[in-house]
Amino acid sequence: MQKIPLTVRGAELLKQELQRLKSIERPAIIEAIAEARTHGDLSENAEYEAAKEKQGFIEGRISELENKLSIAHIIDPTEIHAEGKIVFGSTVALEDLENETQVRYQIVGDDEADLKDNKISISSPIARALIGKEEGDIAEVQAPGGIREYEVIEVLYI
């Protein structure tokens, strides 16, 4: 079975979601199903059907999170010794050579990726182009509008 890379923070967030689902969401939906059953005929009970559907979603998500955490390979970016190379967990400062704007991204697992938080997935085209690069290197990224070039300004392990 293939390991799923996660940062320490990403693993913690998944654990928190799992805990919330098990301790808050699951008991609440069980109570909602019990309440809906008291309303009579289940075949025509929309509340019951909605509660059962939500229960299926919650149980599926619990199972998914437990599986991901069981096969997770947790990587602490502060303990990486990659000698300046961009690797999983690295935070990189880049300059777009076309418009001279700078951006900063952390390369994280698929479940942690959030562009609003400047976290990009290890499987994204830009992350794949950056892996192995060092400060001063140019990374060519195949974007929908054509090839974009980024210069690596800084590599951090934070």
Side-chain angles (χ1 to χ4, degrees):
M1 185 170 285
Q2 189 173 345
K3 294 280 188 182
I4 297 174
L6 286 173
T7 63
V8 173
R9 176 75 179 134
E12 187 58 38
L13 290 173
L14 291 182
K15 288 175 186 175
Q16 288 174 5
E17 181 183 357
L18 180 61
Q19 179 62 28
R20 180 183 52 79
L21 288 171
K22 285 182 166 182
S23 63
I24 297 170
E25 300 290 333
R26 182 187 269 167
I29 198 64
I30 289 170
E31 189 175 310
I33 290 170
E35 174 68 25
R37 282 186 171 169
T38 65
H39 295 276
D41 185 8
L42 297 181
S43 64
E44 297 180 14
N45 190 331
E47 288 177 27
Y48 178 77
E49 289 300 321
K52 287 297 282 183
E53 187 174 313
K54 186 172 181 181
Q55 181 186 35
F57 172 78
I58 289 170
E59 294 302 326
R61 184 65 179 157
I62 288 171
S63 177
E64 179 184 6
L65 290 172
E66 287 175 339
N67 182 51
K68 284 180 181 180
L69 289 169
S70 73
I71 60 173
H73 178 67
I74 300 172
I75 299 168
D76 185 349
T78 63
E79 295 180 5
I80 295 174
H81 303 290
E83 297 159 8
K85 292 192 183 302
I86 299 173
V87 295
F88 179 87
S90 305
T91 299
V92 295
L94 306 170
E95 181 174 330
D96 185 329
L97 296 179
E98 184 177 318
N99 57 24
E100 298 180 355
T101 59
Q102 289 195 4
V103 292
R104 182 179 293 255
Y105 295 121
Q106 182 181 20
I107 300 174
V108 297
D110 294 336
D111 291 305
E112 304 171 76
D114 183 358
L115 202 50
K116 290 180 230 137
D117 200 20
N118 292 338
K119 294 177 186 275
I120 58 172
S121 168
I122 184 74
S123 59
S124 69
I126 190 166
R128 289 193 314 254
L130 291 170
I131 295 295
K133 300 279 192 265
E134 300 175 343
E135 289 181 21
D137 287 351
I138 305 294
E140 291 185 352
V141 179
Q142 182 63 46
I147 293 179
R148 305 282 301 256
E149 291 185 328
Y150 294 93
E151 180 180 356
V152 179
I153 304 299
E154 186 177 28
V155 180
L156 302 166
Y157 309 104
I158 51 177

